[in-house]
């Protein structure tokens, strides 16, 4: 079973334990990576069950199948993450548990009541999460980053959502106002749950702003960079809403 | 695109259209096979969304994953059936639609309210459906039968249900009475929806009792054989309930 990170870095605390003083006061890189993969894995399994459930709202069988296929893709990603957690010697269930409350709360507060709300959630909600995880993955080792990239890949379903939402707005322009509000609610809930996670999970937060023993990038981002990251996340969200024909 | 059935039979009306007089009064074998695959496909896509939804009731993450994996297997079967319907030149959506009302009604009337009810439904409900489709597939061509066998294969998840339900009963024997009632309700609803389908879909019913133009088995089952089939279905259901530690 390979140690963490499996790729060799000069600062790698696990493969060269003598190089870095064990610092019991400071969470280490391994904890941060297990947190990252655990959060992603819980997000994927939950996205799977929720999307499959939302597929029941589909107006046609074909639409149900499309959302179903998106859900199955998420399940496949979940299994990749679980495999990697096991490779790292982590217990996948223990790795996911700290993120259950925040992810569940997000979904409970954003349960779609219509098919279109479900589609916007699948596109916009996943989009925010994807952007955020991509930003975080800039500070991890190459192998972890490659896995994160794989599970965050859009399986080409976004076009289906964009086309469906745009033609619904064309058919009834009042739809746009309601869905724009819905998009703002999704962002608000996502950010508030992300804050909750950041406050709880010291290692994950430290990964972003540096200061982790054994991290391949010792510095992480400085606070100005964190600010720029949030600007980028907001810009990309606005871009997605615009693609749907909605005001962010 | 191969005709129906793709394997060659002496009575094959499609590949040897001259051999059989077109009989506009009698539904033909192609209609029956498309019905069979359409009913199965709609059953699989619905089982997928419902199981994924029921996975939300899981007491542990590991349990959620196991039911999730069962759901993903059903989705894979659904895709095989859709491919075959397309090969046969049928529109998958049109093939599934006639069975939507009955399948949806079954699920609406048997929405599990607990995790254990969900498991018993996955095992007992799927079991009845599987037995029934296997019986029907005795009267179809080899290629169709092979596909039906594939999609009906138990992916080895039954043991998980049996173990979980039995230990729940051990922990609290009162559970057995409630789940036994639940099992009877599942059977009752399944049979009543099956009757509805048989009354509506002449070709599917005719496949079972014979009299289809172009069917590989011209005779089908006689009425005594249909009676014996119901006896077999009931026996196997009783056997499954007993495996769970429940009275049928």
């Amino acid at each position: 079973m390979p140690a963490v990170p499996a790729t060799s870095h000069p600062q790698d605390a696990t493969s060269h334990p003598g190089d870095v003083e064990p610092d019991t006061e400071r969470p280490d890189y391994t904890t941060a990576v297990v947190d990252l993969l655990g959060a992603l894995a819980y997000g994927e399994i939950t996205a799977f069950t929720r999307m499959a459930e939302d597929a029941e709202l589909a107006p046609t069988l074909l639409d149900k199948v499309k959302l179903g296929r998106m859900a199955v893709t998420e399940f496949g990603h979940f299994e990749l993450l679980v495999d990697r957690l096991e490779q790292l010697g982590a217990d996948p269930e223990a790795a996911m548990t700290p993120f259950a409350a925040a992810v569940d709360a997000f979904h409970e507060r954003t349960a779609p009541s219509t098919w279109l709300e479900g589609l916007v959630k699948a596109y916009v909600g996943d989009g925010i999460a994807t952007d955020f995880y991509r930003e975080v993955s800039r500070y991890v080792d190459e192998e972890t980053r490659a896995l994160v990239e794989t599970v965050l890949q859009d399986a080409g379903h976004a076009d289906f959502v964009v086309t469906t939402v745009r033609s619904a707005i064309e058919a009834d322009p009042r739809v746009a106002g309601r869905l724009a509000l819905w998009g703002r609610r999704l962002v608000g809930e996502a950010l508030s749950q992300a804050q909750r996670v950041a406050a709880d999970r010291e290692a994950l937060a430290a990964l972003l702003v540096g200061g982790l023993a054994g991290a391949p990038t010792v510095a992480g981002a400085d606070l100005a960079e964190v600010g720029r990251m949030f600007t980028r996340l907001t810009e990309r969200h606005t871009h997605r809403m615009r693609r749907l024909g909605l005001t962010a």
Side-chain angles (χ1 to χ4, degrees), chain A:
Chain A
M1 215 170 274
V4 180
T7 49
S8 181
H9 289 276
Q11 307 94 329
D12 185 336
T14 314
S15 50
H16 308 279
D19 295 351
V20 176
E21 279 291 292
D23 185 344
T24 50
E25 292 299 302
R26 222 168 40 160
D28 71 357
Y29 178 65
T30 312
T31 313
V33 167
V34 168
D35 263 10
L36 175 63
L37 299 180
L40 263 167
Y42 193 80
E44 294 279 6
I45 184 79
T46 309
F48 162 72
T49 55
R50 296 288 172 156
M51 270 188 197
E53 196 177 334
D54 297 346
E56 283 293 320
L57 297 167
T60 72
L61 251 169
L62 200 70
D63 288 329
K64 187 190 278 193
V65 172
K66 281 183 182 160
L67 203 61
R69 202 168 284 131
M70 284 172 80
V72 169
T73 306
E74 309 272 12
F75 194 85
H77 293 162
F78 166 78
E79 298 211 290
L80 287 177
L81 290 161
V82 165
D83 287 350
R84 180 69 181 148
L85 282 164
E86 281 170 351
Q87 265 180 11
L88 297 176
D91 170 14
E93 184 150 4
M96 286 186 266
T97 304
F99 306 98
V103 173
D104 289 350
F106 171 75
H107 284 288
E108 270 150 35
R109 287 165 198 207
T110 59
S113 54
T114 66
W115 167 242
L116 288 175
E117 284 186 1
L119 286 188
V120 171
K121 181 175 169 181
Y123 179 63
V124 167
D126 264 31
I128 301 164
T130 299
D131 284 344
F132 174 74
Y133 285 118
R134 269 211 185 110
E135 291 280 355
V136 174
S137 76
R138 294 165 67 185
Y139 307 106
V140 300
D141 60 280
E142 237 170 85
E143 191 170 349
T144 303
R145 185 162 50 247
L147 173 63
V148 171
E149 278 298 320
T150 302
V151 304
L152 293 181
Q153 242 162 44
D154 170 46
H157 304 299
D159 288 344
F160 152 64
V161 174
V162 171
T163 312
T164 311
V165 172
R166 292 197 83 107
S167 55
I169 293 171
E170 225 163 88
D172 177 6
R174 285 168 308 173
V175 162
R178 283 199 301 271
L179 289 180
L181 272 177
W182 174 245
R184 266 165 253 156
R185 185 153 141 221
L186 288 169
V187 158
E189 291 294 345
L191 288 183
S192 100
Q193 297 307 328
Q195 258 168 342
R196 181 172 166 183
V197 166
D200 274 6
R201 306 302 295 177
E202 215 186 327
L204 199 55
L207 180 66
L208 204 59
V209 293
L212 276 181
T217 310
V218 175
D222 58 16
L223 283 182
E225 177 54 29
V226 172
R228 283 192 292 274
M229 183 189 92
F230 274 100
T231 307
R232 284 193 296 271
L233 291 180
T234 311
E235 280 169 1
R236 284 187 209 126
H237 168 66
T238 306
H239 172 75
R240 270 188 296 272
M241 292 290 278
R242 207 176 296 132
R243 253 194 95 193
L244 291 171
L246 301 174
T247 325

